[in-house]
Amino acid sequence: MYNESWASDGQFITNDHWSLAKIVHDVLETYDNATHIFSYIYEPNIHMVILECIKIICTIKQTSLANRDPSVKRLLDNMKVKWCAYFTEFPLIYAIAAILDPSIKLEGLTNLLTFYYQQLDVNFDVPYYVNNCKHILERLCEDYGAVIQPQPVGSSMDGSVSSSLSTSPSPSNIGIGEYLSYQHETKEDFHIIQWWKNHSSKFPILARIAKDFLAIPASTIASESAFSAGRRVLDEKISHLSSESIEMFA
């Protein structure tokens, strides 16, 4: 229990006040952790969005169940309503990126979303949503496979390319069935970009798709922050600064 103490206005800060402050802190800490992950600019993060959102909604629900204080429940219920306004259905790009995470794939995405909507107390057709993501990924494989040019697999001693050329991607390479059934061992030092680099020869089409998808930032937080900082440094009042000075401020 916390000891009672004096507030700046001379009023007592009671144990109830401290308990409420801790509840707010624990909930906002989960948001803060997710925000840091979504702000990554040097590491892929788009495949982590759904998992981080699950952590947030679980924190809200578990905190609500653990507290009987009506004011706390009302606060958390309002947070949940606000959350549902934005994340009742995830944009497909987040789900497809999750499928391209070899530690998640289709089965993992289905399990995550099922658990998420249970915590959110929302009826949602998860199989239909996941199947739609799969169809989109299959179409992407076809489109990417149509533009990726065959590469020479050997050359003669005089430097001319040999007649043996790689043919157009086979159906097994274009489809995602082989990837979804592929068994791999997840290690503690697993890095998704390195994984796709190591398996690019086995899944050439999907590796190209993964490269493009995982390069997409999960949010615009980092870029908006950069533009905000630039506006504070360079405006109509200090636009005469040299480029060297601007870099020092930035």
Side-chain angles (χ1 to χ4, degrees):
M1 300 291 290
Y2 297 97
N3 293 324
E4 293 185 351
S5 57
W6 287 98
S8 59
D9 60 357
Q11 299 295 321
F12 271 114
I13 299 177
T14 66
N15 289 332
D16 290 339
H17 293 148
W18 284 116
S19 297
L20 179 59
K22 186 177 186 308
I23 291 170
V24 173
H25 170 273
D26 292 344
V27 173
L28 294 184
E29 185 178 36
T30 308
Y31 278 91
D32 183 63
N33 292 336
T35 300
H36 280 294
I37 292 176
F38 297 161
S39 300
Y40 286 169
I41 57 176
Y42 298 113
E43 295 287 342
N45 56 11
I46 192 169
H47 62 293
M48 304 168 66
V49 169
I50 294 178
L51 181 59
E52 291 303 315
C53 288
I54 289 174
K55 293 179 182 179
I56 291 174
I57 201 61
C58 281
T59 299
I60 293 175
K61 183 170 184 178
Q62 291 172 4
T63 305
S64 179
L65 293 175
N67 290 273
R68 298 181 179 180
D69 188 333
S71 61
V72 174
K73 285 187 173 294
R74 185 165 54 252
L75 172 66
L76 296 172
D77 288 343
N78 290 336
M79 293 178 68
K80 182 178 175 182
V81 171
K82 190 70 173 180
W83 182 269
C84 288
Y86 291 96
F87 291 105
T88 297
E89 181 173 347
F90 289 103
L92 292 171
I93 191 172
Y94 294 144
I96 293 174
I99 295 174
L100 292 171
D101 185 335
S103 64
I104 299 178
K105 299 182 181 178
L106 280 183
E107 182 178 358
L109 177 62
T110 301
N111 293 335
L112 287 174
L113 291 177
T114 300
F115 178 74
Y116 172 77
Y117 288 110
Q118 287 175 349
Q119 299 302 305
L120 205 58
D121 300 318
V122 171
N123 292 323
F124 189 80
D125 193 344
V126 172
Y128 175 82
Y129 177 85
V130 173
N131 196 47
N132 189 30
C133 293
K134 180 183 177 183
H135 288 328
I136 292 174
L137 194 51
E138 288 173 341
R139 292 198 297 270
L140 285 171
C141 287
E142 294 175 359
D143 293 341
Y144 273 68
V147 299
I148 293 179
Q149 300 297 321
Q151 298 294 324
V153 296
S155 59
S156 61
M157 294 297 293
D158 61 1
S160 61
V161 177
S162 67
S163 60
S164 177
L165 298 176
S166 61
T167 59
S168 299
S170 64
S172 62
N173 282 335
I174 294 178
I176 65 173
E178 187 177 355
Y179 162 71
L180 295 176
S181 61
Y182 181 75
Q183 300 295 322
H184 76 285
E185 182 179 352
T186 302
K187 301 179 180 179
E188 292 184 0
D189 58 348
F190 170 77
H191 191 281
I192 189 170
I193 294 295
Q194 188 62 46
W195 190 93
W196 278 108
K197 180 179 180 181
N198 295 339
H199 293 78
S200 59
S201 59
K202 186 175 184 63
F203 310 111
I205 309 299
L206 277 174
R208 184 70 65 87
I209 296 174
K211 178 182 177 181
D212 290 344
F213 264 77
L214 297 177
I216 301 172
S219 74
T220 59
I221 294 174
S223 59
E224 289 175 355
S225 176
F227 278 106
S228 297
R231 185 174 183 180
R232 291 194 297 270
V233 171
L234 184 62
D235 59 19
E236 64 277 2
K237 295 181 180 180
I238 55 174
S239 59
H240 63 282
L241 290 177
S242 65
S243 57
E244 292 79 7
S245 299
I246 293 174
E247 288 180 0
M248 291 175 63
F249 279 105

